[in-house]
Amino acid sequence: QAQLVESGGGSVQAGGSLRLSCAASGHTYSSYCMGWFRQAPGKEREAVATTKINGEKFYSMSVRGRFTISQDNANDVLYLQMDDLKPEDTAIYTCAAGDLGFCTGGVDPSSFHEYNHWGQGTQVTVSS
């Protein structure tokens, strides 16, 4: 049974940085899709950064240029480096992976069904 566990969340002031990690157990990062998602209170879940097995990376407009997704395949860890954080980045951040055999890529909600493994999430709070 694949399991994803996030870490690295916390509280930071605006302009600060955090790095989130997502460790996989019982699962290797041969997933077709991997990504970081977030959900703020009262808002829909959104994808902030995703990557395909071919290495393509995608970012939402709200985080492009500030967040970087990367992975350590040898250790089955997915990262999200978040720089220049803003109060509007406050949310629960969740990593996900998809091994269903296909991945269109991108951050559009129409692609969320391609992810079949989800972590529990980690809170990120950015104060002004």
Side-chain angles (χ1 to χ4, degrees), residues 29-47:
Y29 272 116
S30 58
S31 299
Y32 287 79
C33 286
M34 289 167 281
W36 286 97
F37 299 75
R38 70 184 181 187
Q39 187 165 18
K43 293 190 176 181
E44 297 289 321
R45 173 181 283 171
E46 65 170 325

Side-chain angles (χ1 to χ4, degrees), residues 91-109:
I92 295 174
Y93 285 71
T94 305
C95 68
D99 57 7
L100 299 173
F102 57 90
C103 180
T104 56
V107 294
D108 192 86

Side-chain angles (χ1 to χ4, degrees), residues 17 36 52 73 85:
S17 297
W36 286 97
K52 294 173 64 174
N73 289 329
L85 282 160

Side-chain angles (χ1 to χ4, degrees), residues 31-34 50-58 71 103-105:
S31 299
Y32 287 79
C33 286
M34 289 167 281
T50 67
T51 182
K52 294 173 64 174
I53 195 169
N54 65 359
E56 286 184 276
K57 299 177 181 180
F58 307 89
Q71 60 195 88
C103 180
T104 56

Side-chain angles (χ1 to χ4, degrees), residues 55-70:
E56 286 184 276
K57 299 177 181 180
F58 307 89
Y59 297 92
S60 68
M61 287 297 293
S62 61
V63 307
R64 192 170 298 169
R66 300 187 297 121
F67 290 13
T68 303
I69 188 171
S70 63

